[in-house]
Amino acid sequence: MVNGRKTSFVVIAAAITSLTATAQAEIRVGVTSAVNPSAVGIPPQREERLLYVGIDMLADERVITGPTGRAQLLFIDGSNLSVGPDSEVVIDKFVYDPQTRTGELAFSAARGVFRLVGGRISKTSEVQFRTPAAVVGLRGGITIHNVQAGQPEQHGFIFGDRMSVFAGGETKAVTQPGFGISVPQVTGGAPAPPDNPVRWAPATIQASLGLLEAAPAAPL
């Protein structure tokens, strides 16, 4: 009888642990505010799903867009992430207290073009945007990120208090809108530090914004 009780206890404990893990994995962090075709989400412990306007976004969800896909993710604190074509990003962390308007927000981007608009969380702490070569921090503003394989990463500061870029053991930061920081791609060996900030030409900014806001031209 004692062994039976122990077995029952173990089964119940395992079931509770499984339910708790599932509940934690399905924490709602925001909603899709705009979606173009060919955009999918992959929540943890779930199958891939087609994204559409108004669908709840979950913690640890991976968002992937195709050649014509784009998505805008609106978070509970007011942060907004625009995802361009051929992009992949994961919502690594979202913690927010609406009473104090404080929390933590972090993303990991494997590739693509992104625009991050900081919400209430960014007013009191850095929002982190991780890429293969760098960790970018944003305080209260707007940034643009272009991450392409085999090319230097481009991180642009459009508006706000501060953008920092950490790579190769060094940090470079900008506080003046219109400046950007490049991070060289390194094949093997130690990661490269970021380049010094430089002013971006308006055409450079518009080129990234165009990928986020306009559908790519159909091939002739």
Side-chain angles (χ1 to χ4, degrees):
M1 181 64 69
V2 173
N3 288 338
R5 289 179 179 175
K6 287 184 178 179
T7 301
S8 298
F9 176 79
V10 170
V11 171
I12 293 172
I16 292 174
T17 301
S18 177
L19 289 171
T20 301
T22 301
Q24 289 176 342
E26 295 188 351
I27 296 175
R28 178 181 178 271
V29 299
V31 66
T32 53
S33 57
V35 178
N36 277 17
S38 189
V40 299
I42 309 175
Q45 303 177 11
R46 283 195 187 185
E47 295 182 355
E48 176 180 294
R49 58 179 181 169
L50 186 66
L51 296 181
Y52 54 86
V53 175
I55 194 171
D56 286 343
M57 299 303 299
L58 305 177
D60 296 322
E61 182 156 5
R62 183 182 304 274
V63 175
I64 302 174
T65 60
T68 61
R70 286 178 304 282
Q72 289 185 13
L73 315 180
L74 178 61
F75 293 85
I76 294 172
D77 75 314
S79 296
N80 188 299
L81 180 68
S82 298
V83 184
D86 281 326
S87 301
E88 181 177 347
V89 64
V90 178
I91 306 168
D92 283 334
K93 188 171 187 178
F94 182 87
V95 178
Y96 180 60
D97 183 345
Q99 299 299 321
T100 61
R101 296 191 173 189
T102 60
E104 296 178 72
L105 178 57
F107 304 95
S108 288
R111 66 181 188 278
V113 180
F114 309 89
R115 177 178 57 201
L116 176 59
V117 180
R120 297 182 185 93
I121 289 175
S122 72
K123 307 301 182 184
T124 58
S125 61
E126 275 194 346
V127 174
Q128 287 196 341
F129 195 84
R130 298 177 178 272
T131 68
V135 179
V136 184
L138 169 65
R139 283 295 300 268
I142 303 173
T143 53
I144 295 178
H145 311 273
N146 197 329
V147 180
Q148 308 295 337
Q151 301 179 24
E153 292 185 2
Q154 303 291 337
H155 304 286
F157 183 60
I158 307 304
F159 172 80
D161 296 334
R162 183 177 186 266
M163 180 188 76
S164 64
V165 178
F166 174 81
E170 296 184 21
T171 299
K172 300 288 175 67
V174 293
T175 57
Q176 188 171 353
F179 276 68
I181 297 176
S182 297
V183 180
Q185 287 282 351
V186 176
T187 303
D195 294 335
N196 290 324
V198 297
R199 183 180 294 278
W200 276 12
T204 302
I205 298 174
Q206 289 303 318
S208 293
L209 291 177
L211 289 173
L212 292 164
E213 297 173 354
L220 296 177

